[in-house]
Amino acid sequence: MYKQLTENIRERVNLSEKEEDSLKKYFMPKKIRKRQYILNAGDKCNYLTFVEKGLLRSFSTDDNGHEHVMQFALEGWWISDMASFLCGDDAIYNIEALEDSELLMLSLSSMDEMMERIPKMERYFRLLMQSNIIALQRRIRVVQTMSAEQIYLKLMEVNPEILNRAPQQHIASYMGITPETLSRVRKQVSSKK
Amino acid sequence: MTTTKTIAIVGATGNMGSAIAKSLAKSGTYRLLLMATEQDKLVTLKTELAKSTKAEVFTISCAREASWEADIIIVATPYEAEKEVADKIREVATGKIVISISNPLNSSYNDLVTSSHTSAAEELQKLLPYSKVIKTFNTTFAADFITPLIDGKTADAFIAGNNGDAVETVSEVVKAAGFNPIVAGDLSVSRTLERMQLLLIQLAMKNNYNWLAGWKILHNQV
């Protein structure tokens, strides 16, 4: 039940066996079914969510009712509405399960207590946030400067599993293109092989 | 828009379990997981609920699975079965609200089996150290859930717990079931709540209340 989390933590920090064991009490294990929401926009986001199994997406809806996918979360990924989680703002994102999933959810108070009791976890989150910022900077550049085909090729390189598991319309939304454009791009890419 | 919470009722086919399930289903505000070992009764209950509600209702035969999916777990089994339930759900109930509804009466109904220095709720909290155990629904009979309005007044339902947010969340559940929530204090106040119900049970038997009876605090206008 904590396999992915333990691996993810071990990649970044060295915890003793005792410290690893004591981690469990801070995380709430939650099983959800496909199409269930763990967060609705307008609600408060009370958890940083880690995916042990399954696939989630976060998305916001614009004034015209169009959905914009912010991110996907596969096994080993974290997902949340950070402004809501950290500052108590109303969430702007919805978080939905695209597959039956098993999650480990961390509340702010649990996170604070955990970092106090196991100081190495401060380092873990710092390293996580660093990677996150780098990834976000790269992603902005991708979206601003690349063609739809280039973005697709980038995704194939960096995140092929998302392309296999997420529905087409959500991938298109994540890329900032229409499903029709995505369809065209996929045909172009496969014909070039 | 509040994210819909999932409530698992462990022992859903029992007297209290089914009464709670029916009234929460009627309110439509929660996603319900009905857990029991008697498959036939479970299916019958679900079919009955489906007629009165638009809420999502699922049946599960495993307490651990039901608790894993739940945000809130209601333990609607007899007091004697609570340890077994706790052992099964402990791992997946970490960080979650677990509602204790039991009154630990002895077999002659003249005393509780717990000492006055503890309560069924506190014993459950010891068994589930990382869950937020909240006491409620122990002062409301099963029949009260069908008619929370007794003698023209909405019955009070007392709530006791150590975690403020959890107590607030449970107050919402109590309101959804049709009762007037009264926060009685921290979890140790369960000792009083469980003994209160011992009194009501004895009175109900003596005076033929037919198990439709409850508590109402009288006070001046605040």
Short mmCIF file of all heavy atoms in Angstrom, two decimals, chain A residues 1-2 24-33 36-44 47 102-103 105 107, chain B residues 1-4 6 31 33 56 58-60 64-65 67-71 91-96 130 132:
data_model
loop_
_atom_site.label_atom_id
_atom_site.label_comp_id
_atom_site.label_asym_id
_atom_site.label_seq_id
_atom_site.Cartn_x
_atom_site.Cartn_y
_atom_site.Cartn_z
N MET A 1 0.81 -1.22 0.00
CA MET A 1 0.00 0.00 0.00
C MET A 1 0.85 1.27 0.00
O MET A 1 0.34 2.34 -0.30
CB MET A 1 -0.89 0.01 1.24
CG MET A 1 -2.23 0.67 1.00
SD MET A 1 -3.41 0.33 2.31
CE MET A 1 -2.71 1.22 3.66
N TYR A 2 2.11 1.16 0.38
CA TYR A 2 2.99 2.35 0.44
C TYR A 2 4.20 2.19 -0.45
O TYR A 2 5.17 2.94 -0.33
CB TYR A 2 3.46 2.58 1.88
CG TYR A 2 2.33 2.77 2.86
CD1 TYR A 2 1.80 1.68 3.54
CD2 TYR A 2 1.80 4.03 3.10
CE1 TYR A 2 0.76 1.83 4.43
CE2 TYR A 2 0.76 4.20 4.00
CZ TYR A 2 0.24 3.10 4.66
OH TYR A 2 -0.78 3.26 5.54
N LYS A 24 3.83 6.13 7.85
CA LYS A 24 2.49 5.67 7.48
C LYS A 24 1.37 6.43 8.21
O LYS A 24 0.33 6.70 7.63
CB LYS A 24 2.34 4.17 7.76
CG LYS A 24 3.27 3.34 6.91
CD LYS A 24 3.16 1.86 7.20
CE LYS A 24 4.17 1.11 6.31
NZ LYS A 24 4.32 -0.28 6.72
N LYS A 25 1.59 6.80 9.44
CA LYS A 25 0.51 7.41 10.22
C LYS A 25 0.10 8.77 9.68
O LYS A 25 -0.95 9.29 10.05
CB LYS A 25 0.92 7.53 11.69
CG LYS A 25 2.12 8.44 11.93
CD LYS A 25 2.29 8.76 13.40
CE LYS A 25 3.19 7.81 14.16
NZ LYS A 25 4.61 7.86 13.78
N TYR A 26 0.92 9.37 8.83
CA TYR A 26 0.60 10.72 8.34
C TYR A 26 -0.26 10.71 7.09
O TYR A 26 -0.85 11.72 6.72
CB TYR A 26 1.89 11.51 8.10
CG TYR A 26 2.72 11.65 9.35
CD1 TYR A 26 3.92 10.96 9.50
CD2 TYR A 26 2.29 12.44 10.41
CE1 TYR A 26 4.68 11.06 10.66
CE2 TYR A 26 3.03 12.54 11.58
CZ TYR A 26 4.23 11.85 11.69
OH TYR A 26 4.96 11.95 12.85
N PHE A 27 -0.33 9.56 6.41
CA PHE A 27 -1.03 9.49 5.14
C PHE A 27 -2.36 8.77 5.26
O PHE A 27 -2.45 7.70 5.84
CB PHE A 27 -0.17 8.78 4.10
CG PHE A 27 1.03 9.56 3.67
CD1 PHE A 27 2.22 9.46 4.40
CD2 PHE A 27 0.98 10.39 2.57
CE1 PHE A 27 3.34 10.20 4.01
CE2 PHE A 27 2.10 11.12 2.18
CZ PHE A 27 3.27 11.03 2.90
N MET A 28 -3.39 9.34 4.68
CA MET A 28 -4.71 8.73 4.68
C MET A 28 -4.88 7.90 3.41
O MET A 28 -4.86 8.46 2.32
CB MET A 28 -5.77 9.84 4.74
CG MET A 28 -7.17 9.31 4.83
SD MET A 28 -8.38 10.62 4.99
CE MET A 28 -8.70 11.02 3.31
N PRO A 29 -5.04 6.58 3.53
CA PRO A 29 -5.21 5.74 2.34
C PRO A 29 -6.63 5.89 1.80
O PRO A 29 -7.59 5.79 2.55
CB PRO A 29 -4.99 4.31 2.87
CG PRO A 29 -4.58 4.44 4.29
CD PRO A 29 -5.05 5.77 4.77
N LYS A 30 -6.75 6.17 0.51
CA LYS A 30 -8.09 6.40 -0.06
C LYS A 30 -8.19 5.73 -1.41
O LYS A 30 -7.38 5.98 -2.30
CB LYS A 30 -8.32 7.92 -0.20
CG LYS A 30 -9.59 8.27 -0.89
CD LYS A 30 -10.67 8.69 0.09
CE LYS A 30 -11.79 9.40 -0.65
NZ LYS A 30 -13.01 8.64 -0.75
N LYS A 31 -9.21 4.90 -1.53
CA LYS A 31 -9.46 4.21 -2.79
C LYS A 31 -10.58 4.96 -3.50
O LYS A 31 -11.58 5.31 -2.86
CB LYS A 31 -9.95 2.79 -2.48
CG LYS A 31 -9.29 1.71 -3.29
CD LYS A 31 -9.92 0.37 -3.04
CE LYS A 31 -8.87 -0.71 -3.30
NZ LYS A 31 -9.41 -2.03 -3.40
N ILE A 32 -10.41 5.23 -4.79
CA ILE A 32 -11.52 5.86 -5.50
C ILE A 32 -11.77 5.16 -6.82
O ILE A 32 -10.88 4.52 -7.38
CB ILE A 32 -11.30 7.36 -5.77
CG1 ILE A 32 -9.95 7.60 -6.45
CG2 ILE A 32 -11.40 8.18 -4.51
CD1 ILE A 32 -9.81 9.02 -6.95
N ARG A 33 -13.00 5.35 -7.30
CA ARG A 33 -13.39 4.70 -8.56
C ARG A 33 -13.29 5.69 -9.70
O ARG A 33 -13.33 6.91 -9.50
CB ARG A 33 -14.83 4.19 -8.46
CG ARG A 33 -14.99 3.22 -7.31
CD ARG A 33 -16.35 2.61 -7.25
NE ARG A 33 -16.55 1.97 -5.95
CZ ARG A 33 -17.38 0.98 -5.72
NH1 ARG A 33 -18.11 0.50 -6.70
NH2 ARG A 33 -17.50 0.46 -4.51
N GLN A 36 -14.80 9.42 -10.18
CA GLN A 36 -15.03 10.09 -8.89
C GLN A 36 -14.13 11.29 -8.79
O GLN A 36 -13.01 11.30 -9.31
CB GLN A 36 -14.68 9.13 -7.76
CG GLN A 36 -15.86 8.67 -6.94
CD GLN A 36 -15.40 7.93 -5.72
OE1 GLN A 36 -14.94 6.80 -5.81
NE2 GLN A 36 -15.49 8.57 -4.59
N TYR A 37 -14.60 12.31 -8.04
CA TYR A 37 -13.80 13.50 -7.84
C TYR A 37 -13.26 13.50 -6.42
O TYR A 37 -13.96 13.14 -5.49
CB TYR A 37 -14.68 14.75 -8.02
CG TYR A 37 -14.92 15.13 -9.45
CD1 TYR A 37 -15.57 14.27 -10.33
CD2 TYR A 37 -14.51 16.38 -9.93
CE1 TYR A 37 -15.78 14.62 -11.66
CE2 TYR A 37 -14.73 16.75 -11.25
CZ TYR A 37 -15.36 15.87 -12.10
OH TYR A 37 -15.57 16.22 -13.40
N ILE A 38 -12.00 13.91 -6.26
CA ILE A 38 -11.50 14.10 -4.89
C ILE A 38 -11.50 15.58 -4.54
O ILE A 38 -11.31 15.96 -3.39
CB ILE A 38 -10.09 13.50 -4.65
CG1 ILE A 38 -9.06 14.12 -5.60
CG2 ILE A 38 -10.12 11.99 -4.78
CD1 ILE A 38 -7.63 13.81 -5.16
N LEU A 39 -11.73 16.44 -5.54
CA LEU A 39 -11.82 17.88 -5.29
C LEU A 39 -12.69 18.52 -6.34
O LEU A 39 -12.57 18.22 -7.53
CB LEU A 39 -10.42 18.52 -5.33
CG LEU A 39 -10.35 20.03 -5.10
CD1 LEU A 39 -10.75 20.38 -3.66
CD2 LEU A 39 -8.97 20.58 -5.39
N ASN A 40 -13.58 19.42 -5.89
CA ASN A 40 -14.38 20.21 -6.81
C ASN A 40 -13.94 21.65 -6.70
O ASN A 40 -13.68 22.15 -5.58
CB ASN A 40 -15.86 20.12 -6.43
CG ASN A 40 -16.48 18.82 -6.86
OD1 ASN A 40 -16.58 17.91 -6.06
ND2 ASN A 40 -16.87 18.71 -8.10
N ALA A 41 -13.85 22.35 -7.82
CA ALA A 41 -13.49 23.77 -7.80
C ALA A 41 -14.48 24.50 -6.90
O ALA A 41 -15.68 24.22 -6.93
CB ALA A 41 -13.53 24.33 -9.21
N GLY A 42 -13.96 25.43 -6.09
CA GLY A 42 -14.82 26.16 -5.17
C GLY A 42 -14.75 25.61 -3.77
O GLY A 42 -15.06 26.29 -2.78
N ASP A 43 -14.34 24.36 -3.65
CA ASP A 43 -14.19 23.71 -2.35
C ASP A 43 -12.79 24.04 -1.80
O ASP A 43 -12.01 24.69 -2.48
CB ASP A 43 -14.37 22.20 -2.53
CG ASP A 43 -14.71 21.50 -1.25
OD1 ASP A 43 -14.84 22.17 -0.21
OD2 ASP A 43 -14.85 20.26 -1.28
N LYS A 44 -12.50 23.58 -0.59
CA LYS A 44 -11.14 23.76 -0.08
C LYS A 44 -10.35 22.48 -0.34
O LYS A 44 -10.87 21.38 -0.14
CB LYS A 44 -11.15 23.99 1.44
CG LYS A 44 -11.72 25.31 1.88
CD LYS A 44 -10.72 26.45 1.70
CE LYS A 44 -11.25 27.75 2.25
NZ LYS A 44 -12.33 28.33 1.46
N TYR A 47 -5.82 18.29 0.95
CA TYR A 47 -4.77 17.27 0.89
C TYR A 47 -3.81 17.46 -0.28
O TYR A 47 -4.18 17.92 -1.35
CB TYR A 47 -5.41 15.88 0.73
CG TYR A 47 -6.32 15.49 1.86
CD1 TYR A 47 -7.69 15.65 1.74
CD2 TYR A 47 -5.80 14.97 3.04
CE1 TYR A 47 -8.53 15.31 2.78
CE2 TYR A 47 -6.64 14.62 4.09
CZ TYR A 47 -8.00 14.79 3.95
OH TYR A 47 -8.83 14.45 4.98
N GLU A 102 -5.71 4.15 -6.19
CA GLU A 102 -5.40 4.07 -4.77
C GLU A 102 -4.49 5.24 -4.45
O GLU A 102 -3.45 5.40 -5.08
CB GLU A 102 -4.70 2.75 -4.45
CG GLU A 102 -5.62 1.54 -4.55
CD GLU A 102 -4.88 0.23 -4.41
OE1 GLU A 102 -3.78 0.21 -3.81
OE2 GLU A 102 -5.42 -0.79 -4.89
N LEU A 103 -4.92 6.05 -3.48
CA LEU A 103 -4.21 7.28 -3.17
C LEU A 103 -3.71 7.29 -1.73
O LEU A 103 -4.24 6.59 -0.87
CB LEU A 103 -5.15 8.48 -3.37
CG LEU A 103 -5.98 8.49 -4.64
CD1 LEU A 103 -7.03 9.59 -4.56
CD2 LEU A 103 -5.11 8.66 -5.85
N MET A 105 -3.23 10.34 0.98
CA MET A 105 -3.53 11.76 1.06
C MET A 105 -2.92 12.38 2.32
O MET A 105 -3.06 11.84 3.43
CB MET A 105 -5.04 11.96 0.99
CG MET A 105 -5.54 11.40 -0.36
SD MET A 105 -7.31 11.44 -0.62
CE MET A 105 -7.58 13.17 -0.91
N SER A 107 -2.65 15.68 4.75
CA SER A 107 -3.21 16.97 5.13
C SER A 107 -2.08 17.90 5.54
O SER A 107 -0.97 17.47 5.81
CB SER A 107 -4.19 16.81 6.29
OG SER A 107 -3.47 16.52 7.48
N MET B 1 -18.50 24.53 -4.66
CA MET B 1 -19.26 23.25 -4.62
C MET B 1 -18.50 22.24 -3.76
O MET B 1 -17.35 21.92 -4.04
CB MET B 1 -19.38 22.74 -6.05
CG MET B 1 -20.29 21.54 -6.19
SD MET B 1 -20.12 20.82 -7.83
CE MET B 1 -20.17 19.10 -7.49
N THR B 2 -19.12 21.78 -2.69
CA THR B 2 -18.42 20.83 -1.80
C THR B 2 -18.28 19.47 -2.46
O THR B 2 -19.22 18.97 -3.06
CB THR B 2 -19.17 20.61 -0.48
OG1 THR B 2 -20.21 21.52 -0.39
CG2 THR B 2 -18.25 20.68 0.69
N THR B 3 -17.08 18.91 -2.30
CA THR B 3 -16.84 17.57 -2.83
C THR B 3 -17.63 16.58 -2.00
O THR B 3 -17.59 16.60 -0.77
CB THR B 3 -15.33 17.25 -2.72
OG1 THR B 3 -14.60 18.40 -3.14
CG2 THR B 3 -14.95 16.09 -3.59
N THR B 4 -18.39 15.72 -2.67
CA THR B 4 -19.22 14.73 -1.98
C THR B 4 -18.38 13.77 -1.17
O THR B 4 -17.42 13.19 -1.67
CB THR B 4 -20.04 13.92 -3.01
OG1 THR B 4 -20.72 14.84 -3.86
CG2 THR B 4 -21.07 13.04 -2.33
N THR B 6 -17.76 10.29 1.08
CA THR B 6 -18.21 8.90 1.07
C THR B 6 -18.29 8.39 2.50
O THR B 6 -17.31 8.48 3.24
CB THR B 6 -17.22 8.02 0.27
OG1 THR B 6 -17.15 8.50 -1.06
CG2 THR B 6 -17.69 6.57 0.26
N ARG B 31 -22.29 9.91 -0.51
CA ARG B 31 -22.14 8.68 -1.27
C ARG B 31 -22.03 7.59 -0.20
O ARG B 31 -21.25 7.73 0.75
CB ARG B 31 -20.83 8.79 -2.06
CG ARG B 31 -20.60 7.77 -3.10
CD ARG B 31 -19.41 8.21 -3.94
NE ARG B 31 -18.93 7.08 -4.71
CZ ARG B 31 -18.08 6.17 -4.27
NH1 ARG B 31 -17.56 6.30 -3.07
NH2 ARG B 31 -17.73 5.14 -5.01
N LEU B 33 -21.52 3.61 1.23
CA LEU B 33 -21.03 2.25 1.03
C LEU B 33 -21.63 1.40 2.14
O LEU B 33 -21.36 1.63 3.31
CB LEU B 33 -19.50 2.19 1.13
CG LEU B 33 -18.70 3.08 0.19
CD1 LEU B 33 -17.23 2.99 0.54
CD2 LEU B 33 -18.92 2.65 -1.25
N GLU B 56 -25.60 8.02 -4.64
CA GLU B 56 -24.93 6.77 -5.04
C GLU B 56 -24.83 5.85 -3.84
O GLU B 56 -24.35 6.25 -2.77
CB GLU B 56 -23.50 7.09 -5.51
CG GLU B 56 -23.45 7.73 -6.89
CD GLU B 56 -22.01 7.80 -7.37
OE1 GLU B 56 -21.27 8.69 -6.91
OE2 GLU B 56 -21.61 6.95 -8.19
N PHE B 58 -23.51 1.90 -2.80
CA PHE B 58 -22.82 0.68 -3.21
C PHE B 58 -22.84 -0.32 -2.07
O PHE B 58 -22.88 0.05 -0.91
CB PHE B 58 -21.36 0.97 -3.58
CG PHE B 58 -21.20 1.94 -4.71
CD1 PHE B 58 -21.10 3.30 -4.46
CD2 PHE B 58 -21.16 1.49 -6.02
CE1 PHE B 58 -20.95 4.20 -5.51
CE2 PHE B 58 -21.01 2.39 -7.06
CZ PHE B 58 -20.91 3.74 -6.81
N THR B 59 -22.79 -1.61 -2.41
CA THR B 59 -22.68 -2.62 -1.37
C THR B 59 -21.29 -3.25 -1.45
O THR B 59 -20.75 -3.46 -2.54
CB THR B 59 -23.73 -3.74 -1.55
OG1 THR B 59 -23.57 -4.32 -2.83
CG2 THR B 59 -25.14 -3.21 -1.40
N ILE B 60 -20.71 -3.51 -0.27
CA ILE B 60 -19.39 -4.14 -0.20
C ILE B 60 -19.43 -5.17 0.91
O ILE B 60 -19.99 -4.92 1.98
CB ILE B 60 -18.29 -3.08 0.11
CG1 ILE B 60 -18.26 -2.00 -0.97
CG2 ILE B 60 -16.93 -3.72 0.23
CD1 ILE B 60 -17.12 -1.02 -0.86
N ARG B 64 -12.72 -3.83 5.31
CA ARG B 64 -11.49 -3.13 4.95
C ARG B 64 -11.67 -2.36 3.64
O ARG B 64 -11.32 -1.19 3.56
CB ARG B 64 -10.34 -4.13 4.82
CG ARG B 64 -8.99 -3.48 4.59
CD ARG B 64 -7.89 -4.51 4.65
NE ARG B 64 -6.57 -3.88 4.65
CZ ARG B 64 -5.84 -3.67 3.54
NH1 ARG B 64 -6.30 -4.04 2.38
NH2 ARG B 64 -4.67 -3.07 3.62
N GLU B 65 -12.24 -3.00 2.64
CA GLU B 65 -12.45 -2.34 1.36
C GLU B 65 -13.37 -1.13 1.51
O GLU B 65 -13.13 -0.07 0.96
CB GLU B 65 -13.07 -3.32 0.34
CG GLU B 65 -12.11 -4.36 -0.18
CD GLU B 65 -10.96 -3.76 -0.99
OE1 GLU B 65 -11.22 -2.95 -1.88
OE2 GLU B 65 -9.80 -4.12 -0.71
N SER B 67 -13.93 0.63 4.17
CA SER B 67 -13.26 1.69 4.93
C SER B 67 -12.18 2.36 4.12
O SER B 67 -11.90 3.55 4.30
CB SER B 67 -12.66 1.11 6.22
OG SER B 67 -13.66 0.48 6.98
N TRP B 68 -11.57 1.61 3.22
CA TRP B 68 -10.51 2.16 2.36
C TRP B 68 -11.08 3.24 1.44
O TRP B 68 -10.47 4.27 1.21
CB TRP B 68 -9.89 1.04 1.53
CG TRP B 68 -8.56 1.30 0.92
CD1 TRP B 68 -7.93 2.50 0.76
CD2 TRP B 68 -7.70 0.30 0.37
NE1 TRP B 68 -6.73 2.32 0.14
CE2 TRP B 68 -6.55 1.00 -0.12
CE3 TRP B 68 -7.77 -1.08 0.21
CZ2 TRP B 68 -5.48 0.32 -0.73
CZ3 TRP B 68 -6.71 -1.73 -0.39
CH2 TRP B 68 -5.59 -1.04 -0.86
N GLU B 69 -12.29 2.97 0.94
CA GLU B 69 -12.93 3.91 0.02
C GLU B 69 -13.58 5.08 0.73
O GLU B 69 -13.86 6.12 0.13
CB GLU B 69 -14.03 3.17 -0.76
CG GLU B 69 -13.78 3.05 -2.23
CD GLU B 69 -15.00 2.57 -2.98
OE1 GLU B 69 -15.21 1.35 -3.03
OE2 GLU B 69 -15.74 3.43 -3.51
N ALA B 70 -13.85 4.89 2.03
CA ALA B 70 -14.63 5.89 2.74
C ALA B 70 -13.82 7.10 3.17
O ALA B 70 -12.60 7.04 3.30
CB ALA B 70 -15.27 5.24 3.97
N ASP B 71 -14.54 8.22 3.39
CA ASP B 71 -13.96 9.37 4.07
C ASP B 71 -14.35 9.30 5.54
O ASP B 71 -13.62 9.71 6.42
CB ASP B 71 -14.50 10.68 3.47
CG ASP B 71 -14.13 10.82 2.02
OD1 ASP B 71 -12.94 10.77 1.71
OD2 ASP B 71 -15.05 10.97 1.18
N GLU B 91 -5.50 -0.11 9.30
CA GLU B 91 -4.54 0.43 8.34
C GLU B 91 -5.19 1.44 7.39
O GLU B 91 -4.62 2.48 7.09
CB GLU B 91 -3.93 -0.72 7.54
CG GLU B 91 -2.60 -0.38 6.90
CD GLU B 91 -2.08 -1.50 6.02
OE1 GLU B 91 -2.88 -2.35 5.54
OE2 GLU B 91 -0.86 -1.52 5.79
N VAL B 92 -6.39 1.11 6.93
CA VAL B 92 -7.02 1.98 5.92
C VAL B 92 -7.86 3.09 6.54
O VAL B 92 -8.42 3.92 5.83
CB VAL B 92 -7.88 1.16 4.93
CG1 VAL B 92 -7.00 0.18 4.17
CG2 VAL B 92 -9.00 0.43 5.63
N ALA B 93 -7.97 3.10 7.88
CA ALA B 93 -8.76 4.14 8.54
C ALA B 93 -7.87 5.28 9.06
O ALA B 93 -8.36 6.20 9.70
CB ALA B 93 -9.57 3.55 9.68
N THR B 94 -6.57 5.22 8.77
CA THR B 94 -5.64 6.27 9.21
C THR B 94 -6.09 7.62 8.71
O THR B 94 -6.35 7.80 7.52
CB THR B 94 -4.22 5.99 8.67
OG1 THR B 94 -3.80 4.71 9.13
CG2 THR B 94 -3.23 7.03 9.16
N GLY B 95 -6.20 8.58 9.63
CA GLY B 95 -6.55 9.94 9.24
C GLY B 95 -8.04 10.16 9.01
O GLY B 95 -8.46 11.27 8.70
N LYS B 96 -8.83 9.12 9.15
CA LYS B 96 -10.26 9.25 8.83
C LYS B 96 -11.13 9.37 10.09
O LYS B 96 -10.73 8.97 11.18
CB LYS B 96 -10.73 8.03 8.02
CG LYS B 96 -10.03 7.92 6.68
CD LYS B 96 -10.53 6.75 5.86
CE LYS B 96 -9.71 6.68 4.58
NZ LYS B 96 -10.07 5.54 3.74
N TYR B 130 -4.73 6.30 15.06
CA TYR B 130 -4.50 7.32 14.04
C TYR B 130 -5.78 7.74 13.33
O TYR B 130 -5.75 8.44 12.33
CB TYR B 130 -3.44 6.86 13.05
CG TYR B 130 -2.14 6.52 13.74
CD1 TYR B 130 -1.59 5.24 13.66
CD2 TYR B 130 -1.49 7.46 14.52
CE1 TYR B 130 -0.41 4.93 14.33
CE2 TYR B 130 -0.32 7.15 15.20
CZ TYR B 130 0.21 5.89 15.10
OH TYR B 130 1.37 5.57 15.76
N LYS B 132 -9.77 9.50 13.78
CA LYS B 132 -10.44 10.50 14.62
C LYS B 132 -11.78 9.91 15.04
O LYS B 132 -12.76 9.98 14.28
CB LYS B 132 -10.65 11.80 13.84
CG LYS B 132 -9.35 12.40 13.34
CD LYS B 132 -9.59 13.42 12.26
CE LYS B 132 -8.30 13.75 11.53
NZ LYS B 132 -8.50 14.52 10.32
#
